[in-house]
């Protein structure tokens, strides 16, 4: 498998298409470019995993269809927050937006099926989503920012010799 900083250039020289992608830990890893043209590993949530999660949410909402909207909202807040806690990595914002939108869509279908005279519009669903569901946003830092904290010059005891303990008080 060819993946990495120079994979696109090498495949282009041989007349092949884009570099391959691979799936790992619920993400699809893609060779991409940042806005400044430099190499960037892009991570997107796997479609099949997202679809399975949305189906589970739909089944559970249909099972407890006639519970109150507040009960649905509290439960959906937990589900969406848990999904975002894992999947809110840089370069994955569009997948988070799609998940948020599909959750609202499933919730709307369930609410509309509760009564024949239901008039649940997207305006109502937008207000319910604003009230009960967290907004999609990136929660995890870029890897370069995450590793800065571990650099020795930024640690509080940097430059000081390590303390050694000797048995016997010597």
């Amino acid at each position: 498998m060819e993946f990495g900083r120079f994979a696109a250039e090498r495949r282009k020289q041989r007349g092949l298409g884009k570099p391959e992608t691979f799936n790992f830990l619920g993400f699809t890893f893609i060779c991409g470019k940042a806005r400044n043209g430099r190499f960037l590993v892009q991570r997107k949530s796997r479609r099949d995993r997202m679809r399975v999660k949305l189906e589970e949410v739909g089944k559970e909402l249909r099972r407890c269809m006639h519970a109150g909207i507040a009960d649905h909202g509290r439960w959906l807040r937990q589900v969406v927050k848990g999904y975002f806690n894992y999947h809110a990595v840089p370069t994955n914002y569009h997948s988070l937006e799609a998940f948020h939108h599909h959750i609202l869509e499933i919730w709307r279908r369930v609410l509309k099926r509760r009564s024949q005279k239901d008039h649940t519009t997207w305006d109502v669903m937008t207000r319910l989503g604003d009230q009960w569901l967290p907004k999609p946003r990136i929660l995890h830092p870029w890897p370069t920012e995450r590793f800065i904290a571990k650099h020795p010059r930024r640690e509080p005891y940097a430059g000081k010799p390590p303390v050694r303990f000797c048995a016997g008080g010597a």
Side-chain angles (χ1 to χ4, degrees):
M1 178 176 166
E2 200 166 12
F3 191 88
R5 184 180 310 269
F6 305 108
E9 296 171 12
R10 290 180 186 143
R11 290 178 67 85
K12 191 174 183 181
Q13 288 172 355
R14 290 187 307 216
L16 301 173
K18 292 182 178 181
E20 299 176 71
T21 63
F22 66 94
N23 296 326
F24 184 65
L25 294 175
F27 292 101
T28 300
F29 288 78
I30 304 164
C31 286
K33 290 190 177 191
R35 290 181 187 175
N36 60 7
R38 293 173 54 185
F39 173 76
L40 176 70
V41 175
Q42 296 178 340
R43 293 179 285 183
K44 288 179 63 177
S45 296
R46 286 178 53 179
R47 290 180 182 209
D48 55 343
R49 298 282 175 93
M50 185 188 297
R51 190 178 322 120
V52 167
K53 188 66 173 174
L54 290 169
E55 287 172 2
E56 289 173 4
V57 168
K59 286 179 185 175
E60 182 62 26
L61 281 176
R62 282 189 296 277
R63 190 184 69 73
C64 59
M65 178 187 299
H66 295 288
I69 290 178
D71 296 333
H72 285 179
R74 280 190 291 272
W75 182 75
L76 282 172
R77 180 186 298 142
Q78 291 176 348
V79 170
V80 172
K81 189 175 179 182
Y83 188 85
F84 285 176
N85 282 342
Y86 185 75
H87 290 271
V89 297
T91 71
N92 196 28
Y93 183 76
H94 294 295
S95 297
L96 298 178
E97 276 187 327
F99 184 78
H100 187 267
H101 175 74
H102 288 305
I103 289 288
L104 281 177
E105 193 174 310
I106 291 168
W107 195 11
R108 178 175 174 258
R109 271 190 255 135
V110 167
L111 291 178
K112 286 184 81 63
R113 290 189 63 97
R114 293 190 338 171
S115 169
Q116 293 178 354
K117 297 180 180 182
D118 187 67
H119 300 291
T120 307
T121 63
W122 272 108
D123 293 333
V124 172
M125 289 312 298
T126 303
R127 276 187 267 132
L128 285 175
D130 290 343
Q131 181 181 0
W132 291 105
L133 301 181
K135 298 270 188 233
R137 64 187 183 102
I138 301 301
L139 300 173
H140 302 289
W142 288 89
T144 53
E145 294 174 20
R146 187 172 59 233
F147 295 135
I148 285 175
K150 304 232 187 273
H151 197 277
R153 287 177 291 190
R154 306 216 184 221
E155 292 180 3
Y157 298 107
K160 296 178 185 166
V163 178
R164 293 192 176 126
F165 295 98
C166 298

